[in-house]
Amino acid sequence: GGMMAAPRTLIGALVSLVGWFMWMCFLCTPFGGLYYLIKSHLANTARLRNKTLQGRMSMLHYVETSDGWKLALVRYPAKPSALTQQIRNCPVLLIHGLSANRMAFDIEDGPSLARTLTCRGFDVWVLEMRGSNLSFHPDFFENPQLQHWDFDDYLEKDFVKAVEFILSFTGARQLHTLGHSMGGLLSLCYPALSPATAKQI
């Protein structure tokens, strides 16, 4: 039994390797390029159709960065605070960490930070940075350069655009920021970009 198991395992590994090699060869052909074009088109079409999110999220906005990324900003409108019965004037921007998305702040109704803050009178916005879930670039699969970004892109393009949009949309002069992991680092670095950004949060 042990002698037969080893060859079967080896054969299985070889079959998987051959299958992977054939798939890579297919992707290098014009048909592979067509596959990626169709996949990108379908994904972007589905996202653009999702103008209003149902169920867990209240409002979805898309903001475009200087390099063409369309970032998802999910808004949770404020509710009168149970304590003060007032709506607070300063919005709150929640920023997720690396390899995360908006669900870090809104997993379920009970432990949802976004919804908890709205019930305390805050107008809450959750940003999904480039490469995360609902955020996308129309030319992502056609332009390899768009598949690489760094911390500076998150800070100087994604974060800046989100803050500008929220302040313009709400008419507020400042906002609160609360970030998890890398989102916290972005919040700390943002005021250092310029004297103007230092006054925004």
Side-chain angles (χ1 to χ4, degrees):
M3 296 296 293
M4 294 296 294
R8 288 177 181 175
T9 302
L10 180 61
I11 292 174
L14 289 175
V15 169
S16 298
L17 182 61
V18 171
W20 175 84
F21 179 78
M22 293 178 65
W23 176 246
M24 291 296 103
C25 290
F26 168 76
L27 293 180
C28 293
T29 67
F31 295 104
L34 181 61
Y35 163 79
Y36 272 116
L37 285 174
I38 295 174
K39 180 179 179 181
S40 176
H41 174 73
L42 292 176
N44 291 335
T45 299
R47 284 167 172 164
L48 289 173
R49 285 177 179 174
N50 193 15
K51 295 298 183 182
T52 56
L53 299 181
Q54 300 178 355
R56 298 200 50 72
M57 289 168 288
S58 301
M59 298 181 182
L60 172 65
H61 300 267
Y62 275 107
V63 296
E64 186 170 349
T65 64
S66 58
D67 56 349
W69 274 90
K70 300 185 185 301
L71 308 179
L73 262 175
V74 181
R75 184 189 188 192
Y76 299 78
K79 301 176 183 179
S81 170
L83 298 177
T84 64
Q85 292 300 310
Q86 294 179 351
I87 300 297
R88 303 176 191 269
N89 295 325
C90 196
V92 178
L93 172 61
L94 304 181
I95 312 100
H96 61 76
L98 185 65
S99 301
N101 57 43
R102 69 183 187 282
M103 299 304 292
F105 302 107
D106 188 28
I107 301 175
E108 298 177 0
D109 289 339
S112 169
L113 177 60
R115 296 177 184 275
T116 299
L117 290 173
T118 62
C119 292
R120 283 160 175 75
F122 288 102
D123 184 17
V124 179
W125 298 73
V126 183
L127 169 66
E128 288 204 314
M129 293 179 288
R130 61 186 61 209
S132 299
N133 204 20
L134 294 174
S135 296
F136 68 97
H137 196 295
D139 301 322
F140 181 79
F141 290 102
E142 291 76 28
N143 187 349
Q145 294 182 349
L146 295 172
Q147 301 172 20
H148 303 278
W149 56 82
D150 55 26
F151 185 87
D152 289 341
D153 293 317
Y154 286 133
L155 177 63
E156 299 172 2
K157 297 173 183 176
D158 298 6
F159 201 114
V160 166
K161 192 63 181 180
V163 171
E164 289 178 353
F165 179 84
I166 294 171
L167 294 180
S168 175
F169 188 92
T170 62
R173 299 180 60 184
Q174 289 183 315
L175 53 75
H176 299 294
T177 62
L178 194 157
H180 168 250
S181 188
M182 186 185 71
L185 294 177
L186 291 170
S187 297
L188 289 173
C189 294
Y190 182 78
L193 290 178
S194 71
T197 59
K199 297 178 181 180
Q200 290 177 332
I201 63 174

PDB file of all heavy atoms in Angstrom, residues 50-65:
ATOM      1  N   ASN A  50     -23.526  48.684  -9.423  1.00  0.00           N
ATOM      2  CA  ASN A  50     -23.833  48.667  -7.998  1.00  0.00           C
ATOM      3  C   ASN A  50     -23.803  50.088  -7.434  1.00  0.00           C
ATOM      4  O   ASN A  50     -22.995  50.433  -6.601  1.00  0.00           O
ATOM      5  CB  ASN A  50     -22.815  47.795  -7.265  1.00  0.00           C
ATOM      6  CG  ASN A  50     -23.248  47.485  -5.855  1.00  0.00           C
ATOM      7  OD1 ASN A  50     -24.398  47.675  -5.494  1.00  0.00           O
ATOM      8  ND2 ASN A  50     -22.314  47.010  -5.060  1.00  0.00           N
ATOM      9  N   LYS A  51     -24.698  50.933  -7.914  1.00  0.00           N
ATOM     10  CA  LYS A  51     -24.722  52.327  -7.484  1.00  0.00           C
ATOM     11  C   LYS A  51     -25.277  52.480  -6.083  1.00  0.00           C
ATOM     12  O   LYS A  51     -24.923  53.377  -5.353  1.00  0.00           O
ATOM     13  CB  LYS A  51     -25.564  53.158  -8.474  1.00  0.00           C
ATOM     14  CG  LYS A  51     -24.958  53.241  -9.866  1.00  0.00           C
ATOM     15  CD  LYS A  51     -23.606  53.935  -9.834  1.00  0.00           C
ATOM     16  CE  LYS A  51     -23.017  54.082 -11.221  1.00  0.00           C
ATOM     17  NZ  LYS A  51     -21.692  54.714 -11.207  1.00  0.00           N
ATOM     18  N   THR A  52     -26.194  51.638  -5.732  1.00  0.00           N
ATOM     19  CA  THR A  52     -26.723  51.671  -4.369  1.00  0.00           C
ATOM     20  C   THR A  52     -26.541  50.296  -3.752  1.00  0.00           C
ATOM     21  O   THR A  52     -26.914  49.289  -4.339  1.00  0.00           O
ATOM     22  CB  THR A  52     -28.229  52.020  -4.372  1.00  0.00           C
ATOM     23  OG1 THR A  52     -28.938  51.096  -5.190  1.00  0.00           O
ATOM     24  CG2 THR A  52     -28.445  53.420  -4.911  1.00  0.00           C
ATOM     25  N   LEU A  53     -25.949  50.251  -2.606  1.00  0.00           N
ATOM     26  CA  LEU A  53     -25.715  48.977  -1.946  1.00  0.00           C
ATOM     27  C   LEU A  53     -26.922  48.623  -1.100  1.00  0.00           C
ATOM     28  O   LEU A  53     -27.490  49.465  -0.422  1.00  0.00           O
ATOM     29  CB  LEU A  53     -24.473  49.073  -1.058  1.00  0.00           C
ATOM     30  CG  LEU A  53     -23.182  49.407  -1.802  1.00  0.00           C
ATOM     31  CD1 LEU A  53     -22.032  49.449  -0.823  1.00  0.00           C
ATOM     32  CD2 LEU A  53     -22.910  48.420  -2.892  1.00  0.00           C
ATOM     33  N   GLN A  54     -27.296  47.376  -1.179  1.00  0.00           N
ATOM     34  CA  GLN A  54     -28.464  46.920  -0.440  1.00  0.00           C
ATOM     35  C   GLN A  54     -28.033  46.182   0.819  1.00  0.00           C
ATOM     36  O   GLN A  54     -26.956  45.627   0.897  1.00  0.00           O
ATOM     37  CB  GLN A  54     -29.325  45.994  -1.321  1.00  0.00           C
ATOM     38  CG  GLN A  54     -29.830  46.678  -2.573  1.00  0.00           C
ATOM     39  CD  GLN A  54     -30.627  45.740  -3.440  1.00  0.00           C
ATOM     40  OE1 GLN A  54     -30.730  44.561  -3.163  1.00  0.00           O
ATOM     41  NE2 GLN A  54     -31.195  46.285  -4.500  1.00  0.00           N
ATOM     42  N   GLY A  55     -28.915  46.181   1.807  1.00  0.00           N
ATOM     43  CA  GLY A  55     -28.656  45.418   3.015  1.00  0.00           C
ATOM     44  C   GLY A  55     -27.780  46.164   3.993  1.00  0.00           C
ATOM     45  O   GLY A  55     -28.238  47.029   4.712  1.00  0.00           O
ATOM     46  N   ARG A  56     -26.468  45.881   3.977  1.00  0.00           N
ATOM     47  CA  ARG A  56     -25.605  46.349   5.053  1.00  0.00           C
ATOM     48  C   ARG A  56     -25.147  47.781   4.883  1.00  0.00           C
ATOM     49  O   ARG A  56     -24.819  48.445   5.839  1.00  0.00           O
ATOM     50  CB  ARG A  56     -24.390  45.431   5.142  1.00  0.00           C
ATOM     51  CG  ARG A  56     -24.773  44.006   5.480  1.00  0.00           C
ATOM     52  CD  ARG A  56     -23.594  43.261   6.029  1.00  0.00           C
ATOM     53  NE  ARG A  56     -22.936  43.987   7.086  1.00  0.00           N
ATOM     54  CZ  ARG A  56     -23.423  44.157   8.301  1.00  0.00           C
ATOM     55  NH1 ARG A  56     -24.599  43.674   8.599  1.00  0.00           N
ATOM     56  NH2 ARG A  56     -22.751  44.824   9.220  1.00  0.00           N
ATOM     57  N   MET A  57     -25.052  48.283   3.660  1.00  0.00           N
ATOM     58  CA  MET A  57     -24.476  49.606   3.465  1.00  0.00           C
ATOM     59  C   MET A  57     -25.521  50.597   2.992  1.00  0.00           C
ATOM     60  O   MET A  57     -26.422  50.271   2.238  1.00  0.00           O
ATOM     61  CB  MET A  57     -23.316  49.524   2.480  1.00  0.00           C
ATOM     62  CG  MET A  57     -22.108  48.834   3.074  1.00  0.00           C
ATOM     63  SD  MET A  57     -20.867  48.424   1.858  1.00  0.00           S
ATOM     64  CE  MET A  57     -21.653  47.100   0.995  1.00  0.00           C
ATOM     65  N   SER A  58     -25.380  51.829   3.406  1.00  0.00           N
ATOM     66  CA  SER A  58     -26.396  52.829   3.150  1.00  0.00           C
ATOM     67  C   SER A  58     -26.191  53.541   1.815  1.00  0.00           C
ATOM     68  O   SER A  58     -27.106  53.605   1.000  1.00  0.00           O
ATOM     69  CB  SER A  58     -26.397  53.858   4.285  1.00  0.00           C
ATOM     70  OG  SER A  58     -26.649  53.224   5.508  1.00  0.00           O
ATOM     71  N   MET A  59     -25.012  54.093   1.573  1.00  0.00           N
ATOM     72  CA  MET A  59     -24.761  54.861   0.354  1.00  0.00           C
ATOM     73  C   MET A  59     -23.366  54.565  -0.163  1.00  0.00           C
ATOM     74  O   MET A  59     -22.410  54.526   0.610  1.00  0.00           O
ATOM     75  CB  MET A  59     -24.895  56.357   0.628  1.00  0.00           C
ATOM     76  CG  MET A  59     -26.270  56.802   1.090  1.00  0.00           C
ATOM     77  SD  MET A  59     -26.303  58.595   1.353  1.00  0.00           S
ATOM     78  CE  MET A  59     -28.008  58.792   1.935  1.00  0.00           C
ATOM     79  N   LEU A  60     -23.267  54.402  -1.478  1.00  0.00           N
ATOM     80  CA  LEU A  60     -21.975  54.136  -2.108  1.00  0.00           C
ATOM     81  C   LEU A  60     -21.631  55.273  -3.040  1.00  0.00           C
ATOM     82  O   LEU A  60     -22.427  55.652  -3.896  1.00  0.00           O
ATOM     83  CB  LEU A  60     -22.015  52.815  -2.871  1.00  0.00           C
ATOM     84  CG  LEU A  60     -20.796  52.495  -3.738  1.00  0.00           C
ATOM     85  CD1 LEU A  60     -19.559  52.307  -2.866  1.00  0.00           C
ATOM     86  CD2 LEU A  60     -21.045  51.256  -4.579  1.00  0.00           C
ATOM     87  N   HIS A  61     -20.445  55.828  -2.859  1.00  0.00           N
ATOM     88  CA  HIS A  61     -19.935  56.877  -3.749  1.00  0.00           C
ATOM     89  C   HIS A  61     -18.630  56.380  -4.363  1.00  0.00           C
ATOM     90  O   HIS A  61     -17.870  55.655  -3.719  1.00  0.00           O
ATOM     91  CB  HIS A  61     -19.667  58.169  -2.973  1.00  0.00           C
ATOM     92  CG  HIS A  61     -20.877  58.736  -2.306  1.00  0.00           C
ATOM     93  ND1 HIS A  61     -21.683  59.680  -2.899  1.00  0.00           N
ATOM     94  CD2 HIS A  61     -21.410  58.494  -1.085  1.00  0.00           C
ATOM     95  CE1 HIS A  61     -22.668  60.006  -2.068  1.00  0.00           C
ATOM     96  NE2 HIS A  61     -22.526  59.295  -0.964  1.00  0.00           N
ATOM     97  N   TYR A  62     -18.372  56.788  -5.607  1.00  0.00           N
ATOM     98  CA  TYR A  62     -17.089  56.508  -6.241  1.00  0.00           C
ATOM     99  C   TYR A  62     -16.359  57.823  -6.469  1.00  0.00           C
ATOM    100  O   TYR A  62     -16.936  58.774  -7.008  1.00  0.00           O
ATOM    101  CB  TYR A  62     -17.268  55.773  -7.569  1.00  0.00           C
ATOM    102  CG  TYR A  62     -17.393  54.280  -7.419  1.00  0.00           C
ATOM    103  CD1 TYR A  62     -18.618  53.646  -7.594  1.00  0.00           C
ATOM    104  CD2 TYR A  62     -16.288  53.505  -7.100  1.00  0.00           C
ATOM    105  CE1 TYR A  62     -18.737  52.275  -7.447  1.00  0.00           C
ATOM    106  CE2 TYR A  62     -16.395  52.129  -6.948  1.00  0.00           C
ATOM    107  CZ  TYR A  62     -17.621  51.527  -7.135  1.00  0.00           C
ATOM    108  OH  TYR A  62     -17.736  50.159  -6.980  1.00  0.00           O
ATOM    109  N   VAL A  63     -15.110  57.891  -6.045  1.00  0.00           N
ATOM    110  CA  VAL A  63     -14.277  59.066  -6.274  1.00  0.00           C
ATOM    111  C   VAL A  63     -13.066  58.628  -7.093  1.00  0.00           C
ATOM    112  O   VAL A  63     -12.528  57.544  -6.887  1.00  0.00           O
ATOM    113  CB  VAL A  63     -13.836  59.712  -4.950  1.00  0.00           C
ATOM    114  CG1 VAL A  63     -15.042  60.244  -4.197  1.00  0.00           C
ATOM    115  CG2 VAL A  63     -13.078  58.726  -4.065  1.00  0.00           C
ATOM    116  N   GLU A  64     -12.647  59.470  -8.022  1.00  0.00           N
ATOM    117  CA  GLU A  64     -11.552  59.117  -8.923  1.00  0.00           C
ATOM    118  C   GLU A  64     -10.264  59.801  -8.503  1.00  0.00           C
ATOM    119  O   GLU A  64     -10.226  61.014  -8.278  1.00  0.00           O
ATOM    120  CB  GLU A  64     -11.900  59.497 -10.362  1.00  0.00           C
ATOM    121  CG  GLU A  64     -10.860  59.033 -11.365  1.00  0.00           C
ATOM    122  CD  GLU A  64     -11.308  59.183 -12.809  1.00  0.00           C
ATOM    123  OE1 GLU A  64     -12.510  59.459 -13.023  1.00  0.00           O
ATOM    124  OE2 GLU A  64     -10.464  59.041 -13.715  1.00  0.00           O
ATOM    125  N   THR A  65      -9.190  59.026  -8.414  1.00  0.00           N
ATOM    126  CA  THR A  65      -7.888  59.567  -8.030  1.00  0.00           C
ATOM    127  C   THR A  65      -7.202  60.191  -9.235  1.00  0.00           C
ATOM    128  O   THR A  65      -7.659  60.087 -10.374  1.00  0.00           O
ATOM    129  CB  THR A  65      -6.989  58.458  -7.464  1.00  0.00           C
ATOM    130  OG1 THR A  65      -6.726  57.493  -8.500  1.00  0.00           O
ATOM    131  CG2 THR A  65      -7.659  57.768  -6.287  1.00  0.00           C
TER     132      THR A  65
END
